[in-house]
Amino acid sequence: MNLLFMLMSATIKDIAKLAGVSISTVSRALNNNPRVKKGTMDKIQDIAKSLNFEFNAGARSLSSKITGNIALVYDAHINGFEVSLYINQLFLEVRYILEQMDMDTILLTGYDVNTGASNIKRIVHKKKVDGFLIVHDSITNDDYKTIQAAGLPIVQLHMVPRNDISVRFDSFYSDNFMGGQMATNHLISLGCRSILTVLPFAEESKEYSQRVLGYKKALEDSDLPFNKELVVSVECAYLSGYNLFNSIPKIIKQVDGIFFQADIQAFGFLTAARERGIDIPGDIKVIGYDDVPMCQTVIPSLSSIHQPRKELAELACKRIIQRINSPINLKPECRYLLPSIVLRTSS
Amino acid sequence: MNLLFMLMSATIKDIAKLAGVSISTVSRALNNNPRVKKGTMDKIQDIAKSLNFEFNAGARSLSSKITGNIALVYDAHINGFEVSLYINQLFLEVRYILEQMDMDTILLTGYDVNTGASNIKRIVHKKKVDGFLIVHDSITNDDYKTIQAAGLPIVQLHMVPRNDISVRFDSFYSDNFMGGQMATNHLISLGCRSILTVLPFAEESKEYSQRVLGYKKALEDSDLPFNKELVVSVECAYLSGYNLFNSIPKIIKQVDGIFFQADIQAFGFLTAARERGIDIPGDIKVIGYDDVPMCQTVIPSLSSIHQPRKELAELACKRIIQRINSPINLKPECRYLLPSIVLRTSS
DNA sequence: TTGTATGCGTTATCAC
DNA sequence: GTGATAACGCATACAA
C-alpha cells in the first residue's frame, strides 16, 4: 500500500493520514519543532523516511520563502581555456560544498549573451533562490540593488568587481598582489636578478594588474630596479609562450627568471626553451600561476602559484548559508586569501 | 507609486489592481491565452513589463507543475583534467541553449560523494525540475524509474549508460566507433601501416572500447593486421604520453602512426619526440581526440577528432524542451552523432 | 471576453 | 502538544 506513495511523492497530508495526526503536527515534526512530543515526532519521521518524503519545493517557498537554491552567477564571456578551467574547478568545489549543506545550485550567466537581459533580475523576481554567489566582475549596480532590495544575501567570489564598490557585501578573493610578490620573491631568492613577467592580455581585469604590483613590490624590497620592458602582455595561449624567443628575443636573452601569470604560457615557453638547448632552471628559472593539473606532468614540471580555491569556495558557501539562516546584521566581510607556492623542477 | 512595485516583485494581484481587471484575466493575458481581448492583453502586458514582473516560481509550480528548471546531472567522479574540461565545455553549451529557451539549470551530481544518497530521488520528490539531462553513465535503474514514475522526461547526453538498457529514452551520443575509425583511416590514408592507439585507463567506460573497435574496423577494411600489442592503456596525462619512449620503446620503434584517444597524452608524446629528434609527422604521424583548445597552439599543432558537442547539446536541449511542452508519446530517439576530423600539422 | 471560487502543499496563527 | 484554518501566488473549471 505504501508502494504507491514511495513512487508518487508523498505529501504531509499523506503522512498525516498514515500517522493519524493533523498536517500541522506533521509539518512541525518534520521541521524538528521541539513542541511536538518525542513519540509522535519519531513516528512521523519514520513514516516520512519510509516514503522517501521530501518537501514540495514550490509549496514551501510559497509559504515560507525558502527555496533551498543558490544562484551561482558567472560571466558568459569567460571562455578562455585557462580561465574557464580554473573557474570550472572552482564550481565543482562550490557544488560539492553546497551539496553537503543541502542546497541546490542554479547555474546562470549574469546577462543573456544575445539580449543582454539580466538573469539576476529575472531570478530574483521569480523568487527562485535564497542567495547569490557571484563569480563575475561586471554585475551592474542596479542588479546588486535588486538583490539587496529582495533581502537576499550576496557573496562575491574570486572575481573582484571592476567598478570597485568598496566592501558592500561579503567577498572572498585570492590575493593576487601577494601571489605576484611571492612568485617574484621566490625567483629572487634563487638568485634571479633580471626577472620578466608575462601576463595575458586582459583589458581591465584587476587580477593581473595586482600581480604586477606584487611583482614590483618584490623587486623594490630587494633593491632591484623595475624595468617596464620586463612586463609583457601576450595572448593567453601555449603558442605565445612558445613564441617569446621570437617576439622579444633581446629581452629573453637578458633575463634569468620568468614569472608567467598563466601556466599555459609557461608550457609553451618550456618547450621552446628545450628546443633551443636552454636549460630550465639552469639558465632561466620559471614559475607559473594557477597550478593547473598539467604543471605536475610537464617536463620540467612547472612551479606555480596555487590559488586557494578550495578554501575560497568553502568560506563563500559557509558565509552565504549563514546569511540565509540568520538575517543578523553582520558586517560584510572581505577577505583576500593567500595563495601558496608549489615548487617543482622549473625553478 | 510604481517604484515600489518595481523593486518588490509584483504579483498578478498587483497588476490586476493597476489594470482594473481580475487576477484570472491577468493570468490569462500573461500566458498568452487567446481568449483575452487584444486591448486588455496589451494593457496588462505593458504593465507587467513596466513592473519587471516575473511569475513566482513556487506558486507557479504548485499550481501548474511547471518549474522552469532542468536538472543537469553529472558524475562527481569525473575529475580528470581532460574529461572535466570536455564536460565543462559541454555544460557551457547546454547552459547557453537552455537560457535561450527560458529554462534554468540546476546542476547536481547523481549521488552524494560521501553518503551515496541519490540526488535524483531528492530532486524529483521535491518537484524542483521539469526534466533530467543526464551526463552520467552509472545512474541506477531505480533512479531512472523514479524519474519516469514522476512523469518527467529524461535525455541522456554524451555518456552511454554502462548497463545498457537499450533505448528507453532519448539519447544523444558522440559516435566513438566512427571516431576511432576516422582517426585510424586518416592515418592509413597517409600511408601508415603500423598504427598504435593509446587510450586512458578507464575500467568500464564504453567510449574508449568503442573507439578501439573503430580502430580495428579501419585496419580490417584496409587489410591491415590487428596486433593487440598496439593497443595500450596508460594514465590520462601528459607524462604518460611523454614516457611512451621508455615504457614501450620497442613498440614505438616499429610504429609509423599513433592515434591518441586523449589529446593530452599526445601533447606529452610530441614533446618527447621533439627531444629525440623524431620528426612529426615525418617519422610518425599523430592524431588526438577531443580537439581541446591547446591542439591549435602546440608545436606541431595536433590533428584531432572533434566531438560534436555543440550539436549534441542542442539536440538534447531541444528534445527535452519538446518533451516538456508536449507530453505526446513520441518514441525515444537515440542518435550517435558523427565526430569530425580536424587536420593540423601533426599528421 | 471576463470574473468567482477552488485547489496546489506548506507554514503560521490561532485556538483548545 | 495538537488541531483547525488562513495565507502564500498562480491556474483553471465553472459561471456570467
Side-chain angles (χ1 to χ4, degrees), chain A residues 91-135:
Chain A
F91 281 8
L92 292 182
E93 215 67 69
V94 167
R95 268 296 314 130
Y96 175 75
I97 299 168
L98 288 181
E99 192 168 305
Q100 311 307 98
M101 298 170 161
D102 269 314
M103 274 286 172
D104 287 306
T105 310
I106 294 190
L107 189 60
L108 62 152
T109 61
Y111 304 94
D112 186 286
V113 184
N114 300 311
T115 69
S118 165
N119 284 321
I120 294 180
K121 275 195 194 54
R122 186 174 59 75
I123 218 93
V124 166
H125 288 131
K126 276 186 187 299
K127 300 209 184 301
K128 275 199 173 185
V129 300
D130 298 330
F132 281 81
L133 220 44
I134 298 190
V135 186

Side-chain angles (χ1 to χ4, degrees), chain B residues 194 196 198 230 232 241 243-258 260 269 273 276 278 283-284:
Chain B
S194 175
L196 166 68
V198 176
L230 295 189
V232 329
N243 280 338
L244 246 33
F245 286 97
N246 298 319
S247 58
I248 49 166
K250 275 168 288 185
I251 291 177
I252 293 296
K253 226 163 271 167
Q254 72 176 80
V255 139
D256 55 8
I258 309 183
F260 284 97
F269 180 81
R276 290 161 196 259
I278 291 175
D283 301 326
I284 302 179

Side-chain angles (χ1 to χ4, degrees), chain B residues 284-300:
Chain B
I284 302 179
K285 307 197 190 313
V286 174
I287 186 167
Y289 211 107
D290 268 358
D291 191 28
V292 302
M294 206 168 126
C295 289
Q296 305 168 35
T297 58
V298 86
I299 318 269

Side-chain angles (χ1 to χ4, degrees), chain A residues 248-262:
Chain A
I248 49 167
K250 274 169 289 183
I251 290 176
I252 295 295
K253 226 163 271 167
Q254 72 177 79
V255 139
D256 55 9
I258 309 183
F259 163 34
F260 284 96
Q261 298 190 23

Side-chain angles (χ1 to χ4, degrees), chain A residues 151-323:
Chain A
L152 299 178
I154 301 174
V155 171
Q156 189 82 21
L157 174 59
H158 184 256
M159 299 279 241
V160 183
R162 292 194 181 180
N163 44 338
D164 197 19
I165 12 180
S166 67
V167 192
R168 291 201 324 213
F169 23 71
D170 300 306
S171 317
F172 300 94
Y173 306 123
S174 175
D175 192 329
N176 285 291
F177 177 87
M178 288 301 294
Q181 193 176 3
M182 286 164 68
T184 313
N185 271 335
H186 169 62
L187 296 177
I188 293 174
S189 77
L190 294 173
C192 299
R193 288 297 171 267
S194 178
I195 301 174
L196 166 68
T197 185
V198 176
L199 59 149
F201 286 132
E203 339 76 68
E204 312 170 34
S205 166
K206 278 191 179 173
E207 50 182 332
Y208 301 117
S209 57
Q210 284 296 316
R211 292 178 195 169
V212 172
L213 290 178
Y215 160 85
K216 275 189 186 173
K217 180 66 163 55
L219 295 180
E220 255 176 47
D221 288 351
S222 296
D223 294 317
L224 291 174
F226 168 70
N227 176 352
K228 68 182 175 191
E229 291 192 347
L230 295 188
V231 178
V232 329
S233 300
V234 296
E235 201 190 339
C236 186
Y238 182 92
L239 198 56
S240 357
Y242 182 87
N243 280 337
L244 246 32
F245 286 97
N246 299 320
S247 58
I248 49 167
K250 274 169 289 183
I251 290 176
I252 295 295
K253 226 163 271 167
Q254 72 177 79
V255 139
D256 55 9
I258 309 183
F259 163 34
F260 284 96
Q261 298 190 23
D263 287 332
I264 196 165
Q265 297 176 324
F267 296 150
F269 180 81
L270 293 181
T271 303
R274 176 93 56 62
E275 282 179 36
R276 290 160 196 260
I278 291 175
D279 182 42
I280 310 287
D283 301 326
I284 302 180
K285 305 192 191 318
V286 174
I287 185 168
Y289 212 106
D290 268 356
D291 190 30
V292 303
M294 205 168 126
C295 289
Q296 306 167 35
T297 57
V298 85
I299 318 267
S301 63
L302 181 65
S303 298
S304 191
I305 299 295
H306 180 91
Q307 303 201 52
R309 57 180 144 75
K310 208 165 189 157
E311 296 76 7
L312 283 173
E314 194 154 341
L315 285 174
C317 292
K318 283 197 173 151
R319 187 63 171 190
I320 201 164
I321 298 291
Q322 184 184 11
R323 291 272 182 202

